[in-house]
Amino acid sequence: MRRFSISILVIALALASTGPTLAQDSVRLTGSGATFPFPIYSTWFKSFSGKSKSVTVDYQGKGSGAGIQDFLNRTVDFAASDAAMTDEDMAKIPGGVQLLPMTAGEIVIGYNLPGSPKGLKLPRDVYAGIFLGKITKWSDAKLKAANPGMTLPDQDITVVRRADSSGTTFVFTTHLSAISEEWKKSHGAGTTVNWPKSDKIVAAPKNDGVTATIKQTPGSIGYIEYAFAKFAKVEMAELQNKAGQFVAPGGDGGPAALASVQLPANLRAWISDPEGAKSYPVATYTWMLFYKENKDPKKAAALRQLVEFCLTEGQKMSHQMGYIPLPENVVSVVRKSASSIQ
Amino acid sequence: MKAFELDQSARAGSVSGPPTSWDDVADRTFRGLARASVWLILLLLAFILWSIGGKAWVGMREYGVGFLTSTTWDVGKQQFGVLPQIWGTFYSSLLALVIGGFFGVVMAIFLTQDFLPPRLAQVFRTTVELLAAIPSVVYGLWGLFVVVPAMRPVANWLSEHLGWIPFFGTTLSGPGLAPAALVLAIMVLPTVAAVSQDALRLVPYKVKEAAYGMGATRWEAILKVMLPAAATGIFGALVLGFGRALGETMALAMLIGNSNQISLSIFSPANTLAALLALNFPEAGPREVQVLMYAALVLLAITLVVNLIGESIMAISARRAGVRR
């Protein structure tokens, strides 16, 4: 896998080095990183490259960790990460790093039940209990109490999780740690965690793998990105938020969750358990990482153009593609911060 | 050979002329190239071992033998152990070998012992070999969308009625060892079938004629004469198939459930070393890369040993059959 992506990188670099000879003033930007925003980033970059004739952007969705590695090795012009970047890593870049949240997404709990009933309601202790392996039957009393009128089968719950390490798992387990002391103590948060050992917890690679496994397994439940659930038509549960309300994903819940969190100066904020009656409980920003000091002023200018495009044109595409548009106040903060890319 | 000699002598101008200096140079160059290629392959293997070993070294020093015997893989707490993966690798490969080996050998008998007209046998042989050309990821998808749903009712019936047998201890919910092993069996089938056919063909036809001459029936000739004569070769085929099963990655990553647990039940999810490597490398941090390299080294060692055993058994069988390979 890694060797494959390295060979792609080599080809990309080879192409990049031949670029300037073709047209003197054209700029080619390369980036790599998170796969979760890959669909929207590739759409953005394609339309940006189409609009501005002199700048082309290549982005490879290798995973957040690999993106940060490339960024540290200075083999890319920018990177993208669902887990932002740690202070420790940021200190390794002379001149400094500018983190910019570019879009946001929701993580949903998808399920597969006979007759595909819509709008399963999951209270906080129940979905924490399911992923802890404590609640193992669909006919559990707590599930029945939360969903009167829904016929729940006397069937085992099969939990589907991510097999690879991923930003999705990081965000979801951060949320579980915020709502359940027991989860925090025994499993914690991370891009991969030590899952409870059970025959009813299976793992599949990538968002698409988990989605396919949920679709193929009656009685299963699992966490995936909203966009994947939406396009694969997986039923999504309504989750109970901090205020006690049940909120379905894909509506106003995402923007409300973003609005509930104040961005700090470094623009790195985790929405582990948002306040507010309307907030959908599992949402996250995803970031692009830029060097504050670029060697080539032309590249820096192109990067600023790119950010501006994503903030204006880009945000209009977000909702339709299954992502959350950034709130107005966040857009203006990001725009201001982008000027530090020099 | 003959054509080559004629060609050479024609160029030299007479039937028995000495080799020209051009012939000499060509000969030397070719020999040099061939020798260099062989050394290059050896060097490549050594280089791969050295570079993986170098990266794994820190992990090996840190985690030592405990890495092979502990069962936790927790990046957050920096605890790493691959016993469940080693277990899953061997268990899935063994199951695959039992199924794939049986069908592979039966197929080899069917295709070599005059059951079919030669032309039809060739069609079957090609079909089996085509199975080897299907990409791993396609097998994985097929397993997920076809094998798992088909196997689920059977598995759940077995675990309900024969649940006291540890192999059927749990129900099959989705991905698990059994569907993974079944798909793996199909993937090793071409290897086993092809090498077993070679082994059976190495037995001289005279042997079979002698068996018939002594009044043996067809099945007596096959089971009591042909199979024992080809036994080492067939055993080698099984070991090679096993080696292939050990390293299989993508289909297993999609089908086995990737759960770090050790269970006898063939319906419970498990994990393998190859799947662990493929799924964890892209996002691994520096420390995790070291232990993943260590795990890679373990897998490499297991497959190398198994393949060496297979190759040496094949060499022995070929020598016994009196044919040089």
Side-chain angles (χ1 to χ4, degrees):
Chain A
M1 214 67 150
R2 172 156 283 193
R3 180 165 306 165
F4 180 59
S5 38
I6 287 172
S7 62
I8 288 184
L9 187 72
V10 169
I11 292 167
L13 285 175
L15 288 175
S17 58
T18 57
T21 55
L22 295 172
Q24 280 304 316
D25 53 348
S26 78
V27 180
R28 183 176 287 263
L29 302 173
T30 47
S32 73
T35 49
F36 145 54
F38 180 77
I40 191 164
Y41 282 2
S42 57
T43 313
W44 284 357
F45 297 158
K46 207 194 265 170
S47 63
F48 177 71
S49 302
K51 279 211 178 112
S52 84
K53 292 277 175 284
S54 58
V55 187
T56 16
V57 187
D58 293 313
Y59 179 74
Q60 302 157 44
K62 293 176 169 183
S64 302
I68 290 175
Q69 260 328 306
D70 285 346
F71 192 71
L72 289 172
N73 297 337
R74 285 202 171 247
T75 53
V76 288
D77 299 309
F78 68 96
S81 162
D82 301 335
M85 197 172 178
T86 59
D87 289 328
E88 196 189 341
D89 278 342
M90 276 166 42
K92 288 180 194 158
I93 304 282
V97 180
Q98 183 61 55
L99 293 176
L100 297 178
M102 294 310 295
T103 188
E106 289 158 301
I107 288 161
V108 305
I109 297 187
Y111 59 91
N112 178 346
L113 280 173
S116 33
K118 290 194 191 311
L120 176 77
K121 287 187 170 61
L122 291 177
R124 291 156 85 79
D125 58 330
V126 171
Y127 66 82
I130 290 175
F131 284 93
L132 275 165
K134 296 266 150 91
I135 294 175
T136 56
K137 288 265 183 199
W138 282 106
S139 53
D140 190 276
K142 280 183 179 166
L143 266 168
K144 277 192 165 157
N147 296 282
M150 193 183 274
T151 42
L152 292 165
D154 180 28
Q155 200 174 358
D156 286 330
I157 301 178
T158 302
V159 174
V160 188
R161 66 168 177 91
R162 282 287 284 270
D164 47 334
S165 56
S166 69
T168 314
T169 304
F170 177 79
V171 173
F172 188 68
T173 51
T174 306
H175 173 69
L176 285 182
S177 296
I179 64 166
S180 159
E181 260 316 299
E182 194 183 349
W183 181 274
K184 193 176 176 182
K185 262 192 220 131
S186 46
H187 309 291
T191 50
T192 54
V193 298
N194 187 22
W195 288 84
K197 289 195 171 47
S198 156
D199 288 327
K200 293 295 158 199
I201 298 184
V202 298
K206 309 273 170 196
N207 266 308
D208 10 12
V210 175
T211 311
T213 309
I214 294 174
K215 287 213 75 148
Q216 287 303 311
T217 313
S220 62
I221 196 167
Y223 60 95
I224 36 179
E225 294 294 345
Y226 171 72
F228 285 89
K230 181 183 171 188
F231 293 117
K233 300 203 166 55
V234 173
E235 297 300 339
M236 297 175 250
E238 295 177 13
L239 302 184
Q240 191 181 30
N241 63 18
K242 201 171 188 176
Q245 301 296 314
F246 288 93
V247 183
D252 299 333
L258 298 190
S260 75
V261 175
Q262 193 66 39
L263 276 179
N266 64 6
L267 304 185
R268 191 177 56 196
W270 305 112
I271 316 165
S272 55
D273 191 17
E275 308 272 352
K278 280 186 177 169
S279 298
Y280 181 78
V282 205
T284 181
Y285 284 111
T286 179
W287 289 266
M288 285 192 201
L289 323 174
F290 297 94
Y291 301 108
K292 280 188 178 166
E293 285 173 9
N294 287 278
K295 279 162 203 135
D296 183 353
K298 247 191 245 161
K299 265 192 178 170
L303 286 168
R304 287 196 301 272
Q305 272 175 38
L306 175 68
V307 171
E308 184 57 31
F309 176 84
C310 298
L311 288 177
T312 49
E313 297 293 313
Q315 297 304 316
K316 291 178 199 160
M317 308 173 194
S318 300
H319 185 71
Q320 192 197 346
M321 294 198 64
Y323 296 84
I324 313 173
L326 297 176
E328 272 311 313
N329 59 334
V330 175
V331 169
S332 63
V333 173
V334 172
R335 183 173 288 140
K336 211 181 282 166
S337 309
S339 62
S340 67
I341 305 172
Q342 289 300 330
Chain B
M1 200 66 189
K2 192 122 194 169
F4 176 69
E5 276 166 15
L6 278 177
D7 181 46
Q8 200 178 32
S9 55
R11 214 183 315 114
S14 80
V15 179
S16 59
T20 60
S21 58
W22 191 89
D23 285 335
D24 198 41
V25 169
D27 189 47
R28 268 163 205 267
T29 319
F30 180 73
R31 202 181 321 169
L33 266 175
R35 197 169 287 176
S37 312
V38 170
W39 278 108
L40 212 62
I41 290 170
L42 284 178
L43 273 177
L44 187 67
L45 185 65
F47 177 71
I48 290 173
L49 275 173
W50 176 75
S51 53
I52 292 181
K55 284 192 182 145
W57 179 241
V58 188
M60 286 167 85
R61 232 178 10 199
E62 188 98 347
Y63 294 94
V65 189
F67 184 67
L68 305 177
T69 56
S70 83
T71 58
T72 314
W73 187 278
D74 189 336
V75 181
K77 292 186 184 133
Q78 302 273 301
Q79 288 174 356
F80 300 101
V82 288
L83 188 62
Q85 285 84 353
I86 295 177
W87 164 264
T89 305
F90 275 108
Y91 199 5
S92 60
S93 304
L94 265 179
L95 278 178
L97 192 65
V98 170
I99 308 168
F102 175 76
F103 283 104
V105 173
V106 168
M107 216 171 273
I109 293 173
F110 186 60
L111 293 178
T112 54
Q113 301 304 311
D114 312 322
F115 282 95
L116 292 174
R119 202 169 277 195
L120 198 58
Q122 187 56 44
V123 172
F124 275 103
R125 211 168 289 144
T126 316
T127 314
V128 175
E129 274 156 24
L130 275 181
L131 283 178
I134 299 176
S136 187
V137 65
V138 175
Y139 273 116
L141 283 174
W142 178 71
L144 201 56
F145 288 99
V146 179
V147 176
V148 171
M151 195 183 258
R152 193 180 291 123
V154 182
N156 291 349
W157 186 89
L158 278 174
S159 86
E160 201 176 306
H161 293 92
L162 299 169
W164 49 272
I165 304 174
F167 300 116
F168 305 135
T170 58
T171 53
L172 179 76
S173 37
L177 203 56
L182 190 66
V183 170
L184 200 53
I186 299 171
M187 296 177 83
V188 301
L189 191 69
T191 312
V192 176
V195 184
S196 310
Q197 282 178 52
D198 288 347
L200 282 167
R201 267 198 231 105
L202 279 178
V203 180
Y205 203 73
K206 281 182 283 185
V207 175
K208 200 174 173 188
E209 280 172 347
Y212 284 142
M214 289 170 72
T217 64
R218 177 185 236 182
W219 281 107
E220 279 170 344
I222 290 173
L223 292 177
K224 295 190 176 157
V225 178
M226 297 303 284
L227 272 187
T232 24
I234 290 173
F235 190 66
L238 294 179
V239 179
L240 285 184
F242 190 60
R244 166 131 165 69
L246 288 173
E248 194 43 62
T249 310
M250 212 48 223
L252 280 181
M254 294 164 83
L255 287 173
I256 203 160
N258 305 290
S259 169
N260 296 338
Q261 56 172 356
I262 298 175
S263 164
L264 263 182
S265 168
I266 58 168
F267 301 134
S268 73
N271 205 351
T272 72
L273 283 168
L276 173 87
L277 294 174
L279 295 177
N280 285 284
F281 256 115
E283 297 256 348
R287 168 49 52 88
E288 208 186 346
V289 167
Q290 291 161 359
V291 290
L292 283 173
M293 285 293 183
Y294 189 1
L297 210 58
V298 173
L299 179 62
L300 195 62
I302 293 173
T303 39
L304 274 183
V305 168
V306 168
N307 276 300
L308 274 180
I309 294 172
E311 288 288 348
S312 47
I313 291 170
M314 300 272 294
I316 293 168
S317 87
R319 215 174 302 143
R320 276 210 195 141
V323 183
R324 281 200 161 172
R325 281 168 59 87

